[in-house]
């Protein structure tokens, strides 16, 4: 595992033809850099308007929301109020992480319907499932149930003009009877309805290779999370370009992956503070990756 992980982290493209492409990174897409707002979770509840102004000033054009609830909405703001602040700063919430646990586990549609309405108000493209609680992912049967529910949720999203995505951590790559949960999710969801937001850090942390996933499942990874791995402690993040992960091969394979949006995410271990880190991340990506 350690040898394989080291190889993945330090990987480089072996095909000279790929390296020689006129567009090494991402030119087939709009050069937009997104931020998963969870990065600023300590600051957002204090003053959403001020935080989003700083996000825009740092060079971001897209954001991905998190934390919506029926009771508190978005940090005390309604979707309409949040949309107005985003518009004032020329930011687009192209995706959002919505907790759909009650639907995934019990089939209750209350949260799902509210989330769809919120995402529509924000004019998002994607409604993203960010997490599966541990008691509901212990077996292949659990993952098959989740896959079935994702298909159902994706149909409801499609009927409302949205796309459904699933965001991974590392637990999906644990094997159950020789098969990973992620394989079940990929194979038993409708390719025309369910797409995936690949968290590159968690794939590498699990000992797997994003390039192999792209090759085996072309076009399915419409979104990525881009966050780097600390050199001293792989359980921690660091600013993109400062850690162990070489992102250039992944961006060179963006077309094969199907990627249309990506979001910087740094959950911890800020060099100075979270605001400085989002500037550093955006600068490195704009200069070195796209």
């Amino acid at each position: 595992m350690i040898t394989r992980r080291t190889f993945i982290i330090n990987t480089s493209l072996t095909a000279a033809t790929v390296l020689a492409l006129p567009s090494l990174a991402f030119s087939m897409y709009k050069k937009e850099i997104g931020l998963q707002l969870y990065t600023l979770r300590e600051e957002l509840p204090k003053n959403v308007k001020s935080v989003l102004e700083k996000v825009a000033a740092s060079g971001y054009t897209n954001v991905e929301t998190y934390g919506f609830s029926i009771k508190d909405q978005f940090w005390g703001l309604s979707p309409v109020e949040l949309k107005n602040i985003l518009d004032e700063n020329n930011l687009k919430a192209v995706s959002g992480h919505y907790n759909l646990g009650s639907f995934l586990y019990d089939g209750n549609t209350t949260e799902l319907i509210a989330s769809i309405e919120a995402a529509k108000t924000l004019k998002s493209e994607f409604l993203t499932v960010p997490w599966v609680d541990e008691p509901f992912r212990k077996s292949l049967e659990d993952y098959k149930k989740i896959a079935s529910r994702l298909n159902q949720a994706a149909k409801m999203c499609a009927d409302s003009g949205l796309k459904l995505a699933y965001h991974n951590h590392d637990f999906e790559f644990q094997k159950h009877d020789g098969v990973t949960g992620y394989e079940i999710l990929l194979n038993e969801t409708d390719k025309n309805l369910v797409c995936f937001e690949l968290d590159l850090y968690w794939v590498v942390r699990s000992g797997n290779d994003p390039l192999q996933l792209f090759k085996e499942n072309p076009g399915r990874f419409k979104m990525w999370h881009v966050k780097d791995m600390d050199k001293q402690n792989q359980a921690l993040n660091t600013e993109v370009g400062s850690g162990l992960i070489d992102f250039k091969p992944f961006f060179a394979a963006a077309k094969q992956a199907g990627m249309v949006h990506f979001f910087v995410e740094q959950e911890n271990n800020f060099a100075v503070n979270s605001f400085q880190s989002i500037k550093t991340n955006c600068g490195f990506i704009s200069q070195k990756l796209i």
Side-chain angles (χ1 to χ4, degrees):
M1 174 70 78
I2 294 175
T3 300
R4 176 170 172 74
R5 179 180 295 165
T6 302
F7 168 75
I8 292 168
I9 292 170
N10 295 291
T11 187
S12 60
L13 293 180
T14 56
T17 55
V18 175
L19 285 172
L21 285 173
S23 164
L24 175 62
F26 198 61
S27 73
M28 69 287 294
Y29 303 106
K30 294 175 288 185
K31 292 186 177 182
E32 298 181 338
I33 302 177
L35 178 70
Q36 166 50 259
L37 293 176
Y38 188 74
T39 302
L40 301 173
R41 63 193 178 278
E42 299 297 326
E43 306 298 332
L44 265 168
K46 300 175 186 177
N47 190 325
V48 175
K49 187 175 187 297
S50 174
V51 168
L52 291 179
E53 287 172 353
K54 291 178 181 178
V55 169
S58 297
Y60 295 89
T61 56
N62 295 336
V63 297
E64 183 173 52
T65 65
Y66 75 94
F68 173 81
S69 71
I70 294 174
K71 178 183 177 183
D72 297 322
Q73 305 287 286
F74 291 103
W75 316 290
L77 297 176
S78 71
V80 170
E81 290 170 327
L82 178 58
K83 181 65 166 64
N84 289 337
I85 296 173
L86 290 168
D87 288 346
E88 289 169 3
N89 291 282
N90 296 312
L91 293 171
K92 295 178 290 184
V94 295
S95 175
H97 280 195
Y98 292 87
N99 179 13
L100 303 185
S102 60
F103 177 75
L104 295 178
Y105 315 146
D106 302 321
N108 186 315
T109 60
T110 303
E111 279 184 328
L112 175 56
I113 291 171
S115 297
I116 287 173
E117 288 305 311
K120 286 172 58 180
T121 299
L122 294 180
K123 299 194 181 304
S124 298
E125 297 173 42
F126 293 90
L127 188 156
T128 302
V129 177
W131 176 261
V132 176
D133 289 333
E134 195 274 337
F136 303 95
R137 48 176 165 88
K138 291 185 174 181
S139 68
L140 290 182
E141 289 304 314
D142 285 343
Y143 278 100
K144 289 180 179 181
K145 179 179 179 181
I146 294 299
S148 176
R149 289 277 165 76
L150 289 175
N151 284 330
Q152 296 171 44
K155 180 63 167 62
M156 292 177 64
C157 286
D159 290 343
S160 296
L162 294 165
K163 301 181 185 72
L164 184 85
Y166 179 89
H167 167 271
N168 67 280
H169 290 78
D170 59 347
F171 58 76
E172 293 91 347
F173 296 95
Q174 296 172 2
K175 289 190 175 182
H176 306 268
D177 299 324
V179 180
T180 69
Y182 207 62
E183 289 176 280
I184 295 296
L185 296 179
L186 283 165
N187 294 332
E188 299 205 8
T189 52
D190 188 331
K191 293 181 180 180
N192 296 316
L193 291 176
V194 178
C195 53
F196 290 81
E197 179 177 66
L198 199 69
D199 190 306
L200 298 169
Y201 165 86
W202 283 116
V203 175
V204 173
R205 178 89 188 276
S206 73
N208 287 277
D209 185 354
L211 295 177
Q212 188 64 27
L213 287 171
F214 300 163
K215 180 179 178 181
E216 294 173 351
N217 306 276
R220 295 209 72 184
F221 305 102
K222 301 299 185 186
M223 298 183 291
W224 298 349
H225 274 188
V226 177
K227 61 187 177 197
D228 213 337
M229 182 183 292
D230 185 76
K231 291 179 178 179
Q232 303 303 318
N233 184 350
Q234 295 183 9
L236 297 177
N237 301 158
T238 190
E239 288 70 29
V240 177
S242 300
L244 290 170
I245 300 176
D246 180 7
F247 290 97
K248 288 183 179 179
F250 306 149
F251 275 87
K255 185 175 182 180
Q256 183 183 44
M259 189 264 278
V260 293
H261 297 297
F262 70 89
F263 305 96
V264 170
E265 185 180 37
Q266 186 171 343
E267 297 186 48
N268 50 53
N269 200 28
F270 304 112
V272 179
N273 58 54
S274 57
F275 289 123
Q276 183 59 50
S277 287
I278 67 170
K279 290 181 183 178
T280 300
N281 287 324
C282 190
F284 179 84
I285 291 170
S286 63
Q287 295 170 25
K288 301 294 185 180
L289 295 179
I290 63 173

